Amino acid sequence: MAIHENLLGGPPPTHLPDDPEPREALAAGTDPAEVAGKYPTSSLAWAQLADDAFEGGRVVESYAYARTGYHRGLDALRRSGWKGHGPVPFEHEPNRGFLRALHALARAAQAIGEEEEYQRCSEFLKDSSPTAAETLG
């Protein structure tokens, strides 16, 4: 078995590099909008904005925040060697921002009637991390 493949012959898990500053700022209670403004590449900050907007009934705003976090996460995954598929483990804390944004995008898409996008994002989340799909869903 090649060192770059998992036991099923697929790509290895992608582990994003740690980016502690936005995570620590959010944990300290800093406004997520301020964190996103200071760290615009942080999927975690955008995911938190999406969650807050959704909880506040601002579904379209949540969708926009989630889409931003999702695309920022895709950029980071590609920089880390991800080729468009394969595991993105929720157990690796730096991956959680992307996975949360993906979940938020699915949730908001469903809420605005984008059923195809909801299905696609839900499947992508399950394929990337069954743990994230179970934990966040």
Side-chain angles (χ1 to χ4, degrees), residues 15-100:
H15 295 99
L16 292 172
D18 197 14
D19 189 15
E21 291 86 3
R23 184 176 65 244
E24 291 167 359
L26 290 168
T30 304
D31 180 353
E34 184 179 327
V35 177
K38 187 171 183 179
Y39 305 101
T41 62
S42 171
S43 289
L44 182 61
W46 295 107
Q48 186 62 55
L49 284 166
D51 288 348
D52 292 350
F54 194 85
E55 289 170 14
R58 300 181 316 277
V59 178
V60 172
E61 186 179 324
S62 177
Y63 179 87
Y65 287 138
R67 182 162 281 290
T68 300
Y70 166 75
H71 281 285
R72 290 300 191 147
L74 288 177
D75 292 343
L77 286 168
R78 288 181 187 115
R79 282 192 304 273
S80 294
W82 184 76
K83 302 294 184 202
H85 65 286
V88 181
F90 186 75
E91 294 79 3
H92 181 66
E93 189 170 8
N95 290 350
R96 291 182 184 176
F98 166 72
L99 295 166
R100 283 183 55 195

